[in-house]
Amino acid sequence: MKTLQSTRETLSLTTLTLLHTYQSLKETRWALMQDAILSGEEVEDAKENLILGLVSENQLTLQKNGYNQLLVQISEIDSEIASLKSSLTSFGLEQTNGIFAMPKISYKDVVYVSSFSGNKLIDSEEVLQKALSHDSAYMSALSSVRDGQYQIELGNPADAPIINISMNYSPFITATPGADFGQSFNDIFSSTTKQNVSVSVSVIANDLGRSLSKSTAALAKEQLVQGELALDDARDDVKETIRSLQSSINSTLEKVKINTSNYEIAKDAIEIEKIKKTVGQSNDEAIKRAEIGMYRSAFSLLSSLRKVYELKVSLETIMR
């Protein structure tokens, strides 16, 4: 049952990760489309400037190459999006108006994950024990060790001696002449003749030199050794998983801080370009690029927050 539950949780987390990756690709595609639109406009401007002699043929070619490269990147992302969409559908997710429902991420999720930052996860014995109890490999090895211990303690039941006890009751009666069946039956219990009762006891014991317990104990000891080795390996794997999770928590929370700062800077960059335009030092294209940069920063922040949510799910699975 625990193995089945563990498999379900793994599939659930895998689906969540795929869903977040799908959303990130959609956001990346949108930003590239905006770049392609601006690049296409620049190509058209370069064509006009070539006629006016303001740019060279090589410069126009470079502009076209940049535009075509963006189209290639968009095409590649479209293929990845289609593949992920198929995978998500196979996992049972359904779309509403062509959109997969995304889980809601709250500030409480960030606070919860932050409570395990630093070394709080790897330093907690409670976390380790709970993680071990949810690990199928560890529980399987633990069951093997216990089975080996029981076999050593109990031995092989086939070696146990067999005791047979039998009792024979043979009465001698004085029968009533001409008695019918009913009268004969009464004579058995009413006869005053001495009764004959015999009891026999037999004991069957196996040859101790051929005791099955010896071979059973040898096999059980080997099973115990292998089980303990598997137990140690499983414990080490769980500890490594916890260390990896701890590292991911710390790095993801740091990314949230960095991406939040970058987003604020990107928002300010738009205002700066607008101010510069009022004095003739910027233009609409520069403002548009600053806006695309802001959206890219927002998408990076959202991606790191989605990772926080995945970590929250992983932590809840361990701590339940």
Side-chain angles (χ1 to χ4, degrees), residues 143-153 217 220-221 223-224:
S143 176
S144 179
V145 168
R146 288 174 176 172
D147 184 57
Q149 291 172 338
Y150 292 150
Q151 289 190 48
I152 291 174
E153 292 174 2
K221 287 179 181 179
Q223 177 181 337
L224 188 61

Side-chain angles (χ1 to χ4, degrees), residues 147-211:
D147 184 57
Q149 291 172 338
Y150 292 150
Q151 289 190 48
I152 291 174
E153 292 174 2
L154 299 177
N156 194 313
D159 288 333
I162 300 173
I163 300 177
N164 290 320
I165 300 177
S166 63
M167 181 178 68
N168 293 317
Y169 176 62
S170 302
F172 294 93
I173 64 172
T174 303
T176 302
D180 57 14
F181 175 78
Q183 183 62 46
S184 298
F185 187 78
N186 289 332
D187 289 342
I188 294 176
F189 295 95
S190 60
S191 176
T192 57
T193 307
K194 182 178 180 181
Q195 309 299 312
N196 184 13
V197 178
S198 64
V199 177
S200 63
V201 178
S202 63
V203 178
I204 302 174
N206 291 328
D207 184 355
L208 295 179
R210 299 179 180 179
S211 172

Side-chain angles (χ1 to χ4, degrees), residues 42-54:
E42 290 174 352
V43 169
E44 294 303 316
D45 291 341
K47 289 179 180 179
E48 293 179 4
N49 290 333
L50 178 63
I51 296 173
L52 297 173
L54 299 177

Side-chain angles (χ1 to χ4, degrees), residues 51-289:
I51 296 173
L52 297 173
L54 299 177
V55 298
S56 67
E57 190 72 38
N58 286 341
Q59 289 174 312
L60 175 59
T61 300
L62 289 174
Q63 290 282 5
K64 288 180 178 180
N65 288 344
Y67 174 71
N68 290 330
Q69 182 62 39
L70 288 170
L71 295 181
V72 169
Q73 289 179 330
I74 292 171
S75 178
E76 290 174 347
I77 287 181
D78 283 340
S79 297
E80 293 182 52
I81 290 174
S83 176
L84 281 175
K85 181 179 178 180
S86 176
S87 297
L88 291 170
T89 302
S90 68
F91 279 128
L93 270 67
E94 297 181 355
Q95 289 183 305
T96 303
N97 298 324
I99 300 174
F100 289 113
M102 296 292 294
K104 294 181 179 180
I105 304 171
S106 69
Y107 179 68
K108 291 182 179 180
D109 297 332
V110 180
V111 173
Y112 177 74
V113 174
S114 297
S115 66
F116 293 94
S117 61
N119 291 325
K120 293 173 185 161
L121 203 64
I122 58 179
D123 289 343
S124 173
E125 182 63 25
E126 178 187 2
V127 171
L128 175 61
Q129 292 305 318
K130 286 187 175 182
L132 290 173
S133 68
H134 297 317
D135 185 74
S136 58
Y138 179 84
M139 296 307 296
S140 176
L142 182 61
S143 176
S144 179
V145 168
R146 288 174 176 172
D147 184 57
Q149 291 172 338
Y150 292 150
Q151 289 190 48
I152 291 174
E153 292 174 2
L154 299 177
N156 194 313
D159 288 333
I162 300 173
I163 300 177
N164 290 320
I165 300 177
S166 63
M167 181 178 68
N168 293 317
Y169 176 62
S170 302
F172 294 93
I173 64 172
T174 303
T176 302
D180 57 14
F181 175 78
Q183 183 62 46
S184 298
F185 187 78
N186 289 332
D187 289 342
I188 294 176
F189 295 95
S190 60
S191 176
T192 57
T193 307
K194 182 178 180 181
Q195 309 299 312
N196 184 13
V197 178
S198 64
V199 177
S200 63
V201 178
S202 63
V203 178
I204 302 174
N206 291 328
D207 184 355
L208 295 179
R210 299 179 180 179
S211 172
L212 292 176
S213 292
K214 291 182 179 180
S215 59
T216 300
L219 292 173
K221 287 179 181 179
E222 179 62 24
Q223 177 181 337
L224 188 61
V225 171
Q226 295 300 322
E228 288 174 344
L229 290 174
L231 202 64
D232 290 339
D233 289 341
R235 181 188 291 271
D236 290 341
D237 289 343
V238 170
K239 286 183 176 179
E240 183 57 37
T241 299
I242 293 176
R243 281 192 291 268
S244 177
L245 184 58
Q246 182 73 82
S247 176
S248 186
I249 289 172
N250 294 337
S251 62
T252 300
L253 291 174
E254 189 62 29
K255 285 179 182 178
V256 170
K257 294 179 183 178
I258 294 172
N259 291 333
T260 300
S261 176
N262 289 341
Y263 174 67
E264 295 296 332
I265 293 172
K267 283 200 304 181
D268 292 341
I270 297 174
E271 297 304 317
I272 292 172
E273 290 299 329
K274 289 180 179 179
I275 294 172
K276 289 169 65 177
K277 182 185 176 183
T278 61
V279 296
Q281 295 183 2
S282 186
N283 52 40
D284 290 338
E285 180 185 335
I287 294 174
K288 182 64 177 178
R289 289 199 177 280

